[in-house]
Amino acid sequence: CNSSGLCQCNSEWSGFNCDIPVCNPPCDLRFRNCTAPNTCLCPSNYYGETCDTFCLASVTCNENGNCTQLGTCNCTDGWTGYN
């Protein structure tokens, strides 16, 4: 903090006391869940660096695979394709 008592935050933090983490790129605006610098906490069925990719295995993967951390399908044995 400077002589006036105002904090000058580094690029990873914001707020009056520099206690609000900054995510760059920003987390999906629907969730606003930046929990640590450059760390978005994704709700269920949302994936990717900013939580902007939806994947529900029973729908997105046609019940023939699982969702990866990137929000893409990992096909079960005997199945191929994008989703």
Side-chain angles (χ1 to χ4, degrees):
C1 299
N2 64 23
S3 60
S4 302
L6 297 174
C7 293
Q8 193 74 7
C9 306
N10 68 30
S11 63
E12 295 182 333
W13 297 93
S14 66
F16 185 75
N17 295 315
C18 299
D19 58 352
I20 301 171
V22 173
C23 285
N24 191 14
C27 303
D28 190 295
L29 292 177
R30 293 173 289 178
F31 311 118
R32 300 178 190 260
N33 49 2
C34 186
T35 57
N38 301 317
T39 304
C40 298
L41 178 63
C42 300
S44 296
N45 303 317
Y46 285 87
Y47 300 88
E49 183 180 14
T50 61
C51 305
D52 62 345
T53 303
F54 178 79
C55 186
L56 178 61
S58 62
V59 176
T60 310
C61 304
N62 297 310
E63 297 185 8
N64 297 311
N66 298 307
C67 296
T68 69
Q69 291 299 316
L70 298 175
T72 58
C73 294
N74 182 25
C75 300
T76 53
D77 289 342
W79 295 93
T80 60
Y82 178 70
N83 53 355

